[in-house]
Amino acid sequence: MYDEINARLQELVKKCEEPSLQEAMLYSVEAGGKRLRAMLLLGACEAVKGNYDKTALDFACALELIHNYSLIHDDLPCMDNDDLRRGKPTSHKMFGEAMAILAGDALLNRAFETMADLCDSQQNINAMRTIITASGDNGMIAGQVQDILNENKKINSSTLSNIYSKKTGKLFVVAFKAGAWLGGADEKYIAAIEHVGMRLGLAFQILDDILEVESTAEILGKSTDSDKRNKKNTYVSVHGIEVAKVDYQQISAEALTALNKLPQKTDALCDIVLSVIKRKK
Ligand code: GRG
């Protein structure tokens, strides 16, 4: 699954005919992402209909392209101002800000074009629509906006939940939903799998916050990172590390319970969900 996703992502990005833009797009897409969202989409599709086809693979890649665009833009000096992503220089550090913005834009558009090429059935249109909505102005982008507006402010847990459910949660939820649509699931199944996605997305983000705090050696060496930590709202800054760890255990358990209740699931889907919950970095 992982290799198939990588191979197709490369083909899709190589459709770009502008060499310097293609180079910047490929740099991010080939930088070693875990492909969690794409694998969840394929796993959900397989759980419903027993397999996934080339159409589902393209939708999975479209979601991964959107995720990669969001990371490039999130790293920009005007947003999170990060120098490193996946252990490598961020896109703007490698190619400059203008090219990084354009590479992100181009990845997003490649995602839309990839999905549009497949919109020949109602279920594919549903899958495309749900992905566009999740990543759009009432989804991931809204979460990013709320995160920026709340920088340097003390926020409560409900504001943080709202930010997380949109900023990170939406792409997790939509991986499950779109995969299930493509597998031919009914509304009842979609609602059940959506719940798995919501709990898993939150567990993923809390774990991310815990892991960031725990990688102290890396963090303490960089004054810019400690400056950034002061203004960033995270699950750990709002609730404290101990509560974050307890909540993480509980919310991951809820994700697994919801997963186990699904009328159709496969070992592959369960393994992907577990890999999200158990990841170490
Ligand atoms: C710029 C519109 C816009 C949105 C950005 C998702 C997001 C919104 C920002 C990401 C900020 C961030 C790094 C949050 C931590 C959780 C997270 C999304 C980590 C990266 O996801 P992984 O671990 O990434 O799945 P890989 O590298 O495996 O692809």
Side-chain angles (χ1 to χ4, degrees):
M1 204 184 253
Y2 181 80
D3 291 342
E4 270 178 295
I5 295 165
N6 284 336
R8 185 61 181 146
L9 276 172
Q10 206 181 69
E11 279 174 11
L12 291 171
V13 172
K14 284 188 172 172
K15 289 185 178 187
C16 171
E17 291 167 6
E18 179 59 49
S20 47
L21 181 60
Q22 189 196 99
E23 189 193 352
M25 292 162 81
L26 272 180
Y27 175 78
S28 291
V29 165
E30 292 182 334
K34 297 180 288 299
R35 315 301 188 212
L36 297 176
R37 296 152 192 80
M39 291 201 293
L40 287 169
L41 187 152
L42 294 179
C45 178
E46 195 178 53
V48 177
K49 73 166 187 177
N51 57 42
Y52 59 85
D53 56 13
K54 282 188 169 165
T55 296
L57 182 62
D58 274 8
F59 274 94
C61 289
L63 185 56
E64 194 59 36
L65 292 169
I66 293 171
H67 166 62
N68 278 270
Y69 120 76
S70 81
L71 296 181
I72 295 176
H73 283 195
D74 187 62
D75 290 336
L76 288 168
C78 61
M79 298 225 193
D80 238 19
N81 195 16
D82 275 311
D83 295 348
L84 291 174
R85 163 74 53 195
R86 299 162 173 155
K88 299 189 172 109
T90 44
S91 181
H92 63 272
K93 284 281 160 193
M94 276 304 281
F95 303 102
E97 256 180 85
M99 191 59 81
I101 292 169
L102 294 169
D105 293 342
L107 292 174
L108 177 63
N109 281 279
R110 173 67 59 221
F112 288 170
E113 201 178 317
T114 303
M115 293 188 287
D117 282 347
L118 297 165
C119 277
D120 53 5
S121 69
Q122 191 56 48
Q123 80 187 25
N124 292 5
I125 292 169
N126 287 343
M128 173 166 166
R129 197 180 160 74
T130 194
I131 290 174
I132 292 176
T133 305
S135 54
D137 57 359
N138 288 316
M140 178 180 70
I141 297 175
Q144 181 78 349
V145 168
Q146 288 165 8
D147 199 16
I148 289 170
L149 293 177
N150 282 295
E151 254 174 31
N152 291 317
K153 288 187 189 156
K154 195 168 164 48
I155 59 167
N156 61 27
S157 63
S158 104
T159 306
L160 185 74
S161 296
N162 192 33
I163 293 171
Y164 276 5
S165 71
K166 289 184 176 150
K167 191 179 128 173
T168 347
K170 288 282 182 184
L171 288 201
F172 272 90
V173 171
V174 84
F176 285 100
K177 275 177 78 176
W181 277 125
L182 294 165
D186 59 18
E187 297 277 355
K188 204 171 157 207
Y189 188 92
I190 302 280
I193 208 165
E194 185 170 6
H195 186 60
V196 182
M198 285 191 314
R199 300 327 277 161
L200 188 69
L202 183 55
F204 169 87
Q205 182 64 71
I206 298 174
L207 179 60
D208 205 74
D209 292 347
I210 294 171
L211 292 174
E212 191 173 328
V213 168
E214 291 192 336
S215 61
T216 42
E218 227 176 299
I219 290 165
L220 287 176
K222 294 176 192 163
S223 60
T224 48
D225 276 353
S226 77
D227 291 348
K228 204 187 297 161
R229 271 206 324 282
N230 292 335
K231 58 178 190 162
K232 254 185 142 181
N233 284 300
T234 69
Y235 208 88
V236 175
S237 73
V238 170
H239 296 274
I241 187 80
E242 294 312 321
V243 172
K245 285 182 177 174
V246 171
D247 287 0
Y248 164 70
Q249 293 296 346
Q250 190 187 321
I251 293 162
S252 344
E254 286 167 12
L256 292 177
T257 305
L259 179 72
N260 286 326
K261 279 191 192 152
L262 286 180
Q264 289 155 280
K265 57 183 173 299
T266 57
D267 288 347
L269 181 63
C270 296
D271 286 348
I272 302 162
V273 170
L274 277 174
S275 78
V276 174
I277 289 172
K278 301 277 172 225
R279 86 197 162 97
K280 300 265 189 288
K281 61 181 176 110

